Amino acid sequence: MDTLFIPLSLAAGGLLAVQAGANAQLSKATGSPFAATTIQVVLAALLLLIVAIATGTAAAFGGLRAVPWWHAIGGVATALYVASTILVFPRLGAVVAVGLFIAGQMLASLGLDSFGLLGVPQQTPSPATLLGTAAVLVGVIAIVFGQKGATKELSGSKLGWMLLALVAGAVLPVQGAINGLLRQDLGAPFVVGAISFAVATLSMIAVLLVTLLLMNGAKPQLGGLKTMPWWGWIGAVCGATYVTTVFVAIPAIGTAATVGLTVAGQQIVSLFVDRYGWFRLPQREISTLRFAGVVVLLLGVAAIKVF
């Protein structure tokens, strides 16, 4: 049964790159990345609620009052990640953005395992794990600087977008660990997913209100939804699948393996997104350095997973 989570984790990682492209279209249709994120997490929460009811596990919502409050806040990470993908994908490109997400994920995963944080069993990193993590980071650096003109465009603004991508990646394994604790409390994965996205919805509503009322942000224009391609709506399915898969897989195959497999899926799909301009994103050349960076990154992931 545990081996089933290997292909599932790989596929879930690939769905993150698909989600980012779909949500970029939702952002264009509404004229606001924050409104787009709010719509996406609302749909994901409703989807998981329907699944929880259909599977007869909705009664587990009643146990929420007895769990520590911080076990239920994993959804804040979803809001941060989804909003970040909408903002950084058009500015950095799919391969660069996902490479930075991966670096954040790997560093956070290493920290969770090394220090036994958030209920994750403490594991002293093996030499192979450290070597694999280092290879992943080297691969990310090659990917970032392999983009044409990257060294000439390192403005303060671009560095800021890169930092946001790193942080957005780092919160994903943290979210998985926190949601894993909530699953231990409630024992119902779809209920945990619905709670996670409900919290993400509240977080995004707060962000949306702040941007509209205090920062004169762009007002959502819902009329554009009529002309949006159908695949602009699939971000909710991708997000719900990813979040649920990760917090179920971590106890089964471990944090490092789960993150490593989702990382591989992300990077493979993002190559196609950039090369062919999928999801109406800018088509970008895959240079030799960028391709080499992806190969090194995947070898690093393999080292962590195999050894």
Side-chain angles (χ1 to χ4, degrees):
M1 178 64 180
D2 288 354
T3 57
L4 178 62
F5 288 108
I6 295 176
L8 286 178
S9 297
L10 187 67
L15 286 176
L16 278 185
V18 174
Q19 178 194 43
N23 285 343
Q25 289 303 309
L26 190 58
S27 177
K28 290 179 182 178
T30 60
S32 167
F34 301 110
T37 304
T38 303
I39 293 172
Q40 188 266 322
V41 294
V42 167
L43 292 176
L46 291 174
L47 174 63
L48 286 167
L49 176 60
I50 291 171
V51 175
I53 293 172
T55 55
T57 58
F61 282 108
L64 185 60
R65 291 173 293 181
V67 306
W69 66 269
W70 61 275
H71 286 194
I73 64 170
V76 175
T78 295
L80 175 60
Y81 176 80
V82 174
S84 298
T85 60
I86 292 173
L87 292 170
V88 304
F89 257 60
R91 292 171 172 84
L92 300 179
V95 171
V96 172
V98 173
L100 291 167
F101 293 150
I102 287 170
Q105 287 180 75
M106 297 308 298
L107 291 173
S109 175
L110 185 63
L112 288 171
D113 281 338
S114 299
F115 299 102
L117 302 175
L118 301 176
V120 174
Q122 187 172 8
Q123 301 177 13
T124 301
S126 67
T129 298
L130 294 175
L131 181 61
T133 302
V136 168
L137 297 178
V138 169
V140 168
I141 292 171
I143 291 167
V144 171
F145 287 93
Q147 180 171 306
K148 186 177 180 180
T151 56
K152 299 179 181 179
E153 301 172 3
L154 286 180
S155 62
S157 175
K158 187 168 185 178
L159 289 173
W161 292 120
M162 289 180 173
L163 178 60
L164 176 61
L166 277 171
V167 173
V171 300
L172 292 179
V174 172
Q175 178 193 48
I178 292 176
N179 283 343
L181 291 173
L182 188 60
R183 191 202 177 192
Q184 292 178 16
D185 296 330
L186 302 180
F190 296 119
V191 170
V192 172
I195 292 170
S196 182
F197 278 103
V199 172
T201 297
L202 294 176
S203 301
M204 286 311 308
I205 290 174
V207 171
L208 184 60
L209 290 175
V210 168
T211 58
L212 289 176
L213 300 177
L214 301 181
M215 301 174 63
N216 297 318
K219 294 182 179 180
Q221 304 296 324
L222 300 182
L225 296 176
K226 297 178 181 179
T227 59
M228 186 179 68
W230 66 267
W231 46 264
W233 295 103
I234 65 175
V237 177
C238 296
T241 302
Y242 173 83
V243 168
T244 305
T245 300
V246 167
F247 73 74
V248 174
I250 284 177
I253 60 176
T255 305
T258 301
V259 172
L261 288 163
T262 57
V263 156
Q266 283 177 270
Q267 196 59 59
I268 292 169
V269 173
S270 69
L271 275 175
F272 288 94
V273 172
D274 257 8
R275 175 65 179 83
Y276 298 105
W278 288 356
F279 309 113
R280 298 182 181 175
L281 290 170
Q283 191 171 356
R284 300 175 188 269
E285 179 185 353
I286 307 298
S287 69
T288 302
L289 181 57
R290 288 175 68 188
F291 187 78
V294 172
V295 172
V296 172
L297 185 150
L298 294 178
L299 288 174
V301 171
I304 295 171
K305 174 65 183 72
V306 175
F307 301 105

